[in-house]
């Protein structure tokens, strides 16, 4: 793609409100615009697909979104890819989402697992410790960028939904004002109670929807932050708690459920993040105790 063409796509993207997240380095501007604004499935010919998996940069229909088609849940990866050595270690180096349709948990793109497996096989075969460490550090950096960028995109998507809802409500308000023009005072007294009840009902639904969206946005941010803390080498994988179990703790829930007017970022979650080591250790003891019973 020429520089002038890329510039046109970029300028068009910057005209959108709320401001569209920057194009990631592994995609062209047209590819990024297509993912953002088309409603086509990323892997088949189905259309009218409303949701995007921002961590895999895929828009999947219900068929392609089923586990084992494009994405696979982590615990099933080892049986699905028996030829890939150290697959559980490799999964920790890959981006994941929690949007699979069949179960809850971490979902990975199968194509990406195959790619990292082939790369790992070549590096491990050489047996150079410096190359192995460089590989792991590079993959961690790449995944951290993708997960952070995915959270930014998810937030943008929620903001866009809220903005559209507000714009529709403004149109309704304008139409209501137009209708009220010319209505006699007696007629207005008759219809006002019913109209006010309708407006209040719409407002209540909007406030509930905005509350749900705000809580979901904060929960997604908390889950992304916890991802970098939950893996403790001293605790065996079988005894490690799930991410969502940590986020359900009161330290996180108190922040997540603060009023909508309170601005929440990673900084506000720091006190809760500081409790992660204790939460992980406590949960590990409970899991170990349950397994040994």
């Amino acid at each position: 793609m020429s520089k002038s063409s890329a510039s046109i796509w970029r300028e068009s993207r910057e005209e959108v409100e709320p401001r569209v997240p920057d194009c990631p380095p592994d995609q062209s501007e047209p590819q990024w615009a297509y993912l953002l604004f088309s409603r086509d499935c990323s892997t088949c010919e189905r259309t009218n697909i409303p949701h995007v998996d921002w961590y895999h940069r895929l828009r999947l229909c219900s068929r392609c979104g089923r586990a084992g088609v494009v994405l696979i849940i982590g615990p099933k990866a080892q049986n699905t890819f028996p030829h890939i050595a150290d697959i559980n270690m490799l999964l920790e180096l890959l981006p994941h989402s929690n949007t699979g349709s069949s179960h809850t948990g971490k979902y990975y793109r199968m194509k990406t697992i195959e790619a990292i497996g082939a790369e790992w096989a070549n590096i491990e075969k050489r047996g150079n410790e410096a190359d192995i460490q460089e590989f792991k550090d590079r993959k961690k950096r790449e995944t951290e960028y993708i997960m952070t960028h995915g959270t930014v995109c998810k937030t943008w998507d929620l903001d866009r939904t809220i903005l559209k809802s507000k714009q529709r409500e403004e149109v309704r308000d304008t139409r209501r004002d137009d209708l009220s023009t010319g209505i006699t005072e007696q007629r207005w007294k008759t219809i006002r109670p019913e109209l006010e009840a309708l407006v209040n009902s719409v407002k209540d639904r909007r406030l509930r929807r905005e509350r749900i969206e705000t809580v979901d946005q904060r929960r997604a941010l908390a889950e992304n932050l916890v991802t970098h803390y939950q893996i403790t080498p001293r605790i065996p994988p079988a005894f490690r708690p799930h991410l969502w179990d940590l986020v359900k703790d009161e330290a996180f829930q108190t922040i997540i459920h603060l009023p909508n007017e309170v601005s929440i970022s990673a900084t506000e979650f720091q006190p809760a993040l500081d409790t992660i080591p204790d939460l992980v250790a406590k949960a590990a003891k409970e899991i170990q105790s349950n397994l040994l019973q």
Side-chain angles (χ1 to χ4, degrees):
M1 180 176 62
S2 67
K3 290 184 178 179
S4 59
S5 178
S7 176
I8 292 173
W9 281 102
R10 185 166 51 252
E11 290 174 2
S12 299
R13 174 166 54 81
E14 291 174 352
E15 292 296 322
V16 177
E17 289 293 337
R19 192 178 187 281
V20 178
D22 292 335
C23 177
D26 60 332
Q27 293 200 343
S28 67
E29 287 286 348
Q31 286 175 324
W32 186 231
Y34 187 75
L35 176 65
L36 290 170
F37 302 116
S38 81
R39 293 175 69 86
D40 298 337
C41 178
S42 298
T43 60
C44 75
E45 296 180 354
R46 291 191 176 187
T47 59
N48 198 30
I49 313 302
H51 302 298
V52 176
D53 182 335
W54 294 108
Y55 300 104
H56 293 299
R57 297 174 191 151
L58 293 171
R59 191 184 291 270
L60 298 176
C61 65
S62 58
R63 181 179 61 190
C64 295
R66 289 198 299 267
V69 180
V70 178
L71 306 178
I72 189 168
I73 194 168
K76 293 187 177 181
Q78 193 163 11
N79 291 334
T80 305
F81 303 99
H83 58 287
I84 297 180
D86 305 313
I87 191 167
N88 289 329
M89 179 275 290
L90 294 176
L91 291 181
E92 296 297 332
L93 303 177
L94 292 177
H96 66 273
S97 67
N98 301 94
T99 56
S101 60
S102 301
H103 303 80
T104 56
K106 294 181 180 179
Y107 280 78
Y108 302 85
R109 191 173 185 181
M110 298 171 72
K111 180 179 178 181
T112 308
I113 295 175
E114 289 278 16
I116 197 174
E119 186 177 358
W120 172 246
N122 290 330
I123 292 175
E124 188 184 33
K125 186 176 180 180
R126 294 199 300 267
N128 186 305
E129 289 297 329
D131 288 346
I132 290 174
Q133 190 59 49
E134 186 278 332
F135 165 81
K136 292 180 179 180
D137 292 342
R138 172 165 49 85
K139 290 299 180 182
K140 286 180 180 178
R141 288 194 302 271
E142 292 173 356
T143 292
E144 183 175 355
Y145 170 81
I146 291 172
M147 296 299 291
T148 301
H149 188 264
T151 299
V152 170
C153 293
K154 192 173 182 179
T155 301
W156 168 80
D157 203 8
L158 289 171
D159 289 343
R160 186 174 63 147
T161 300
I162 294 172
L163 179 60
K164 286 183 177 180
S165 176
K166 290 180 178 178
Q167 289 172 339
R168 286 194 295 267
E169 188 168 328
E170 289 173 357
V171 170
R172 287 194 296 267
D173 290 344
T174 300
R175 289 175 178 172
R176 182 199 63 191
D177 293 341
D178 291 342
L179 287 172
S180 65
T181 303
I183 296 178
T184 64
E185 183 176 352
Q186 184 60 38
R187 177 59 178 161
W188 174 244
K189 289 180 179 180
T190 302
I191 66 174
R192 179 174 179 175
E194 183 178 352
L195 185 59
E196 286 182 342
L198 176 62
V199 171
N200 289 333
S201 176
V202 171
K203 180 180 179 181
D204 288 342
R205 288 200 301 271
R206 174 179 60 82
L207 292 175
R208 286 196 298 270
R209 184 173 62 251
E210 289 180 359
R211 181 58 178 168
I212 291 172
E213 291 168 349
T214 298
V215 170
D216 286 346
Q217 178 182 339
R218 291 171 178 176
R219 185 180 294 111
L221 174 58
E223 289 175 354
N224 187 42
L225 293 170
V226 170
T227 299
H228 301 291
Y229 285 83
Q230 73 173 116
I231 302 302
T232 304
R234 294 181 289 101
I235 298 177
F239 299 148
R240 295 173 187 169
H242 293 295
L243 176 149
W244 54 85
D245 288 330
L246 298 176
V247 175
K248 286 193 298 185
D249 186 78
E250 183 180 358
F252 286 93
Q253 291 298 311
T254 299
I255 299 171
I256 290 172
H257 290 281
L258 285 172
N260 286 15
E261 295 75 20
V262 179
S263 178
I264 300 297
S265 65
T267 302
E268 282 68 37
F269 276 110
Q270 191 56 52
L273 292 172
D274 291 339
T275 70
I276 289 292
D278 291 338
L279 292 177
V280 170
K282 179 182 177 182
K285 288 181 180 179
E286 293 177 355
I287 294 172
Q288 184 176 14
S289 175
N290 292 333
L291 290 176
L292 294 178
Q293 286 181 357

